[in-house]
Amino acid sequence: MNRIFASAEEALDGLLHDGMMLSVGGFGLCGIPERLIDAVLASGVTQLTCVSNNAGIDGVGLGKLLRSGQVRKMISSYVGENKEFARQYLDGSLEVEFCPQGTLAERCRAGGAGIPAFFTRTGVGTLVADGKEHREFDGDVFIMERGIRADLALIKGWKADEAGNLIFRKTARNFNQVMATAAPLCVAEVEEIVPVGTLDPDAIHLPGIYVKRLICGAPYDKKIEFRTVRTVEA
Amino acid sequence: MNRIFASAEEALDGLLHDGMMLSVGGFGLCGIPERLIDAVLASGVTQLTCVSNNAGIDGVGLGKLLRSGQVRKMISSYVGENKEFARQYLDGSLEVEFCPQGTLAERCRAGGAGIPAFFTRTGVGTLVADGKEHREFDGDVFIMERGIRADLALIKGWKADEAGNLIFRKTARNFNQVMATAAPLCVAEVEEIVPVGTLDPDAIHLPGIYVKRLICGAPYDKKIEFRTVRTVEA
Amino acid sequence: MAWTRNDIAARAARELRDGFYVNLGIGIPTLVANNIPDGMTVTLQSENGMLGIGPFPLEGEEDADLINAGKQTISELPSTVYFGSAESFAMIRGGHIDLTILGAMEVSEGGDIANWMIPGKMIKGMGGAMDLVAGVKRVIVAMDHCSKDGESKFVQSCSLPLTGKGVVDMIITDLGVFERPDHASDFRLVELAPGVTLDEIAAKTGARYAV
Amino acid sequence: MAWTRNDIAARAARELRDGFYVNLGIGIPTLVANNIPDGMTVTLQSENGMLGIGPFPLEGEEDADLINAGKQTISELPSTVYFGSAESFAMIRGGHIDLTILGAMEVSEGGDIANWMIPGKMIKGMGGAMDLVAGVKRVIVAMDHCSKDGESKFVQSCSLPLTGKGVVDMIITDLGVFERPDHASDFRLVELAPGVTLDEIAAKTGARYAV
């Protein structure tokens, strides 16, 4: 079984349709599946629901799909610094479901792990709890949150072997790991595809069972949102 | 802050009390915290509830604490091949809560992750579902299971650094990872303690935040429950 | 002539597809591993935390840290991955495993399966069986058609405590194969072992099924 | 003379203990990192998936794969560990982080905190703030005592949408420190910045508190 495709377009062939839900990895611009997002842009598929912690920035990452009008709804925890997002949100053309970051991660994990709903303390007493079931366990109040299961997951890894076993690098792991599990099918782009047997079997972040299609997206010109440095003596 | 102790007895000093709940790693005899179990045995603490996938075998692992009568209740998924267990279970001196293996793992993860309860399809229509809340989500029926949070976690790792960052080896990871999180405090025994900076920060299975006390238990004479081999040509 | 245990396993192996991730139970299902067609990539999961189960180790190469869910020593493959129990069952419960092949004491015509306890006998526990039948995409039972006492194991209604309710998709016994397209449908007898007649299988089956 | 922003951070740093794992919010809380006492081991968590935040990188050593929750480039330490977002918030929600120090727009006398949205303004989202205040063992707010308009930010009841209800344990402002031993108790003024009088703080505080 060959899971390696020559391009993002080929890797997504037959998987996209209008109105679908995508779970997308990345935090800010760190670890976003940019090649796959470009291919979704090129496909012209519309009315997308995107589950992603952030929505990119103007013209970068999911910001591209916002600008092109392909996204109908975002489920996110934070969407600062994005003018196109603000415009569409304020004029009502973009629906947004804000979800606390940890609840978002847990909802996606739950969706991928066969858990349709769970209880959490996060958001109790806030707008997030409005309309949700409240319940007391051992004297504390919790709200019920639902698992999220998308139609397709798009993620960015560092290295993968030919069996799809994948590792991430530093904080670029973030939501990629959990988003990959939150759909029946995940397409991954990585910086390097290595032979089976190269990666340490004890150190795989995402087993190949989740990574059904794979592309090497190198070379990457990774963007930094806020470049902060120190002087030598600090 | 020094988290390294010279012996299992010292590492457990002040942490044990009658009637407490322990979450214990291991699967069968693979990856069990044998030094720590010996120290619990020596402490004489009684009326323990042990959350562990298995209960050891006669005179090995948790089997030692069963033989000494220190365990009041087991929460486990499978307890085959253990005569002392069978005797105490049948005469009513040992209480047993059977829990499907995946539900057990998820209950412990939930307890460690601040999730007091979740829904699962596992066990619907079986004895496991008796007395539990049933609920339909998207047309399917699920039962509610509660998170488990023990008083103290005892686990066995392969290597840890002086900051408590820990890795497991092969299938000895099993329940150790999740049991470590299912208590406010985890004591770990490992085969080797290495300097900080030695382990790959992308390949840590259990961050030091969970491993508050640590001992090197080497040398180990690991036991095999069922030795199966093949001949060269197979 | 009815199928042998290995024939049952070989028949079950015909349900494998290239790229499948599969969990095999103990007993007859374990034999399926020896019947994977050449050139087909099938990855075996062990619920104690491993994808890519290799064969039993050579004598002297046993590793206490490398066992399967039956606690037997095994070996790893170049594609092997290890993970913890919570992740393993997230994978199972979340429907990421394509197929599980399990043994059973009884299967009912409604697809209920009983394979974990016999009332009155010492209970050993259900292990991961309830999670597998509830979570895996397709559940195949591979078992003898009748018990040692000659009683049908494919029954109207299970007399033993259930492992899962309405979860079985296919039953392969020494006499033939029963299948259903979905959990709302009845089982249909789709194949007979060589020399087994419709009358013989009807006489030895307690369950209602279509032909 | 009231405390400066760095004085507030230094005061907050006095709540650190050896071996603590701490999550710092943006603004004044970030400055706490520069005030960790020598010889004390405090590990900083970044909720995007890291324990052991190092200082900003040297010019030319920035790494796009290594950022904090504010999306700023940072560096790693020898003890650094990386993990995914689900594990990061399991750690937070499960009460494994000892302390979080956050900024706020308002804190109420009941310990409610508002720091994520202003009605009528563009909503950017709550990020991980709701998870932190709900999950971390101890929640300290470090903020200016009054808004730019001179209004007290420690109020009877928050006018802004809440981030968490009844979750704050300590408030450190440029004028002093308020603390409560548990979530059922009232806040008590336990410390005044140099030169700040009880009358001044009373005049500038909307909330009820013990002295």
Side-chain angles (χ1 to χ4, degrees), chain A residues 106 109 114-119 133 135 137-138 142 144 146 168-170 173 202-203 205, chain B residues 106 109 114-119 133 135 137-138 142 144 146 168-170 173 202-203 205:
Chain A
E106 190 66 14
R109 181 193 176 277
I115 307 288
F118 60 89
F119 291 91
E133 177 174 332
R135 185 125 160 194
F137 293 99
D138 303 327
F142 298 81
M144 192 176 82
R146 295 294 308 272
F168 301 99
R169 183 170 174 274
K170 303 187 189 283
R173 192 181 324 176
D202 274 323
H205 298 132
Chain B
E106 190 66 15
R109 181 194 176 276
I115 306 288
F118 59 90
F119 291 91
E133 176 175 331
R135 183 121 160 199
F137 293 99
D138 304 326
F142 298 81
M144 191 175 82
R146 295 294 310 272
F168 302 99
R169 184 171 175 272
K170 301 185 189 285
R173 191 180 326 176
D202 275 322
H205 298 133

Side-chain angles (χ1 to χ4, degrees), chain B residues 94-109:
Chain B
L94 178 68
E95 185 184 341
V96 183
E97 179 180 335
F98 282 109
C99 181
Q101 193 173 147
T103 298
L104 182 65
E106 190 66 15
R107 290 178 67 191
C108 293
R109 181 194 176 276

Side-chain angles (χ1 to χ4, degrees), chain C residues 48-108:
Chain C
N48 54 321
M50 180 183 193
L51 274 168
I53 304 177
F56 290 144
L58 291 171
E59 178 97 36
E61 296 186 356
E62 310 92 324
D63 183 338
D65 289 341
L66 182 41
I67 63 170
N68 63 19
K71 288 142 193 164
Q72 299 170 312
T73 47
I74 50 171
S75 66
E76 66 181 24
L77 302 171
S79 62
T80 292
V81 186
Y82 300 104
F83 35 83
S85 298
E87 195 182 336
S88 181
F89 283 94
M91 196 180 281
I92 290 168
R93 202 188 309 103
H96 302 283
I97 307 277
D98 297 291
L99 176 65
T100 186
I101 305 174
L102 298 167
M105 299 169 185
E106 288 179 335
V107 178
S108 81

Side-chain angles (χ1 to χ4, degrees), chain C residues 11 17 20 45 52 61 69 82 85 92 97-98 120 124 126 139 143 149 161 163 191-192 197-198 202 205 211:
Chain C
R11 177 60 190 83
R17 298 291 175 269
F20 261 25
Q45 202 237 22
E61 296 186 356
Y82 300 104
S85 298
I92 290 168
I97 307 277
D98 297 291
K124 292 184 174 182
M126 68 292 281
V139 176
M143 65 177 187
D149 304 332
T163 307
E191 206 172 322
L192 288 172
T197 63
L198 287 175
T205 304
V211 181

Side-chain angles (χ1 to χ4, degrees), chain B residues 100-101 103 121-129 143, chain C residues 100 102-108 111-118 125-135 139 141 158-168:
Chain B
Q101 193 173 147
T103 298
R121 193 182 277 117
T122 300
V124 169
T126 76
L127 291 177
V128 162
I143 53 175
Chain C
T100 186
L102 298 167
M105 299 169 185
E106 288 179 335
V107 178
S108 81
D112 303 349
I113 175 173
N115 70 351
W116 77 285
M117 72 177 272
I118 300 173
M126 68 292 281
M130 287 190 181
D131 308 282
L132 284 164
V133 300
V139 176
V141 168
C158 292
S159 61
L160 298 170
L162 298 186
T163 307
K165 191 162 179 57
V167 295
V168 177

Side-chain angles (χ1 to χ4, degrees), chain D residues 37-210:
Chain D
D38 285 342
M40 185 182 283
T41 303
V42 170
T43 306
L44 301 180
Q45 202 237 23
S46 193
E47 64 263 30
N48 54 318
M50 181 182 191
L51 275 168
I53 304 178
F56 291 144
L58 291 170
E59 178 97 36
E61 296 186 355
E62 310 91 325
D63 183 338
D65 289 342
L66 182 42
I67 64 171
N68 64 19
K71 287 139 194 166
Q72 299 170 312
T73 46
I74 50 171
S75 66
E76 66 181 25
L77 302 171
S79 61
T80 292
V81 186
Y82 300 104
F83 36 83
S85 298
E87 194 182 338
S88 181
F89 283 94
M91 196 180 282
I92 290 168
R93 202 188 309 103
H96 302 283
I97 307 277
D98 296 290
L99 176 65
T100 185
I101 305 173
L102 298 167
M105 299 170 186
E106 289 179 334
V107 178
S108 81
E109 59 189 41
D112 303 349
I113 175 173
N115 70 351
W116 76 283
M117 74 177 270
I118 300 173
K121 290 213 179 178
M122 167 74 190
I123 304 172
K124 293 183 174 182
M126 68 291 282
M130 287 189 182
D131 307 283
L132 285 164
V133 300
V136 172
K137 280 184 207 159
R138 188 155 185 252
V139 176
I140 296 180
V141 169
M143 65 176 186
D144 293 324
H145 200 90
C146 296
S147 68
K148 282 167 191 156
D149 304 333
E151 299 288 322
S152 173
K153 295 172 70 176
F154 182 28
V155 295
Q156 259 195 311
S157 162
C158 293
S159 62
L160 298 170
L162 298 186
T163 306
K165 192 164 178 55
V167 295
V168 176
D169 297 288
M170 181 183 248
I171 306 160
I172 305 173
T173 77
D174 48 321
L175 301 186
V177 180
F178 302 87
E179 192 176 11
R180 57 178 185 170
D182 57 66
H183 291 180
S185 302
D186 289 334
F187 281 96
R188 176 178 294 274
L189 175 63
V190 294
E191 204 171 323
L192 288 172
V196 175
T197 63
L198 287 174
D199 284 349
E200 179 185 354
I201 214 164
K204 290 182 172 171
T205 303
R208 188 171 43 92
Y209 57 88

